[in-house]
Amino acid sequence: MPQVGFGVFQIPDADQCRKVVLEAIKAGYRSFDTAASYMNEEAVGEAIHEAIETGLVTREELFITTKMWVQDMWNYEDAAKAIDTSLNKLGLEYLDLYLLHQAMGDYFSAYRAMEDAYKGGKLKAIGVSNFFPAVLANLYEIVEIKPAVNQVELHPFFAQEDALALMKELHVAPEAWAPLAEGKHGIFTHPLLSEIGSRYGKTPAQVALRWNVQRGVIILPKSTNPDRMKQNMDIFDFALTEEEMGQITALTLDHSEIINHFDPNLVRFLVTRKIHD
Ligand code: A2P
């Protein structure tokens, strides 16, 4: 799995999404992360097929991830159907990685449907997203096929070192959503990230991404701008010192400024959110 992938959250407009994914393939991205709830699986699929048909890439070179929404995590049958729906929307015979989007609903039944689809070859790898440590530990012990990945919010302002340590211990690969903190907290002009970046001729965004990569995290930056797409991949020709790594980790606020998964009202909203009939 490539360590840098491309996220397509919040690009629901089909035409824009298709163009952005094609642009990202041209910029060198091979790994794409979508979700049933992003409402753009069809557009991502169209871009993939256009890229394959025009000889830009082969299916084998691509690494495609999507996620099951909570609406389909009520029982085994709904979950099994959701996997097929995503495959159909993307127009693919298999997914490289398939994740439970949230630790909500009846996620054990949903996970069992994923294990069976994995055994049947429809899913090459399975995993979870937004599983905080205690919940990940519980699922990990119970399931037969261990989750390959846990995609969570990871950036300098939410470093989640404890969650990372557990994932490393369990050999669950950590993957970052919002590795650029969705632009929050002045990340693109942050004094520390700017100062460190100036030592290497890199932008604050590149420093933030490099920090995650250097601590073993798979990152999914997203940009609709071709230059920034390229910039976000150009992070493998420099290395942060241990001191710089520590200084960046110390920026953590120890809470998310984007979403609070412990807010019961938010949980009720997400569990009852419908993305299809
Ligand atoms: P844009 O699409 O105009 O480039 P995250 O990946 O954490 O969700 O953050 C995505 C946000 O960060 C988007 O608003 C995107 O805007 C912006 N962004 C992505 N890469 C960069 C970059 N290298 N420099 C500045 N802004 C960036």
Side-chain angles (χ1 to χ4, degrees):
M1 176 177 191
Q3 202 174 358
V4 185
F6 191 85
V8 295
F9 179 46
Q10 284 165 348
I11 319 181
D13 179 75
D15 199 42
Q16 193 199 6
C17 182
R18 195 180 51 79
K19 285 187 187 142
V20 164
V21 170
L22 265 178
E23 203 61 61
I25 292 174
K26 286 180 193 153
Y29 288 86
R30 294 294 175 263
S31 171
F32 291 88
D33 177 86
T34 182
S37 72
Y38 299 172
M39 312 305 281
N40 58 17
E41 287 175 312
E42 278 129 329
V44 172
E46 276 172 30
I48 290 169
H49 289 287
E50 196 173 327
I52 292 172
E53 277 153 29
T54 55
L56 276 175
V57 280
T58 62
R59 169 66 184 98
E60 294 68 36
E61 285 171 315
L62 293 171
F63 190 99
I64 309 299
T65 303
T66 190
K67 314 182 193 80
M68 187 186 297
W69 184 242
V70 191
Q71 184 184 359
D72 297 312
M73 291 162 58
W74 294 89
N75 55 56
Y76 180 99
E77 290 73 26
D78 285 356
K81 215 165 99 186
I83 296 168
D84 288 339
T85 302
S86 282
L87 281 166
N88 287 338
K89 284 191 173 174
L90 284 156
L92 298 175
E93 282 171 15
Y94 68 90
L95 290 162
D96 298 277
L97 178 64
Y98 189 77
L99 308 175
L100 289 180
H101 204 142
Q102 303 284 351
M104 295 173 192
D106 178 1
Y107 52 83
F108 285 107
S109 295
Y111 198 88
R112 289 201 177 95
M114 286 160 59
E115 288 178 321
D116 286 346
Y118 169 85
K119 288 175 191 168
K122 283 182 196 173
L123 309 177
K124 300 290 179 200
I126 58 175
V128 295
S129 181
N130 297 305
F131 272 51
F132 38 92
V135 173
L136 177 67
N138 181 43
L139 178 100
Y140 183 90
E141 292 304 333
I142 288 180
V143 298
E144 183 194 342
I145 315 287
K146 306 301 178 195
V149 164
N150 184 18
Q151 185 186 124
V152 297
E153 181 186 345
L154 293 169
H155 50 75
F157 310 115
F158 197 32
Q160 298 216 63
E161 287 276 288
D162 290 357
L164 219 56
L166 176 73
M167 287 186 241
K168 283 190 181 153
E169 188 190 326
L170 300 180
H171 300 289
V172 175
E175 192 178 28
W177 63 256
L180 296 169
E182 292 186 348
K184 290 193 167 54
H185 221 82
I187 187 164
F188 302 127
T189 52
H190 191 277
L192 177 69
L193 301 176
S194 304
E195 190 207 317
I196 294 174
S198 68
R199 290 177 204 149
Y200 303 101
K202 297 288 175 184
T203 65
Q206 288 172 311
V207 172
L209 297 174
R210 175 71 204 182
W211 164 81
N212 247 335
V213 160
Q214 224 169 289
R215 43 181 215 150
V217 174
I218 299 157
I219 52 168
L220 297 169
K222 61 174 186 290
S223 176
T224 49
N225 173 291
D227 288 336
R228 289 194 286 274
M229 285 177 190
K230 291 192 190 100
Q231 187 195 118
N232 294 345
M233 294 190 96
D234 183 19
I235 54 171
F236 293 96
D237 59 351
F238 75 113
L240 301 168
T241 65
E242 243 178 74
E243 191 190 354
E244 289 164 343
M245 288 293 291
Q247 286 172 335
I248 298 169
T249 305
L251 295 177
T252 191
L253 304 168
D254 283 332
H255 67 267
S256 170
E257 290 187 314
I258 299 175
I259 187 167
N260 177 8
H261 283 105
F262 296 93
D263 173 357
N265 289 325
L266 178 80
V267 172
R268 291 181 67 201
F269 168 75
L270 293 177
V271 170
T272 54
R273 182 180 160 221
K274 300 218 182 309
I275 60 162
H276 59 76
D277 292 340

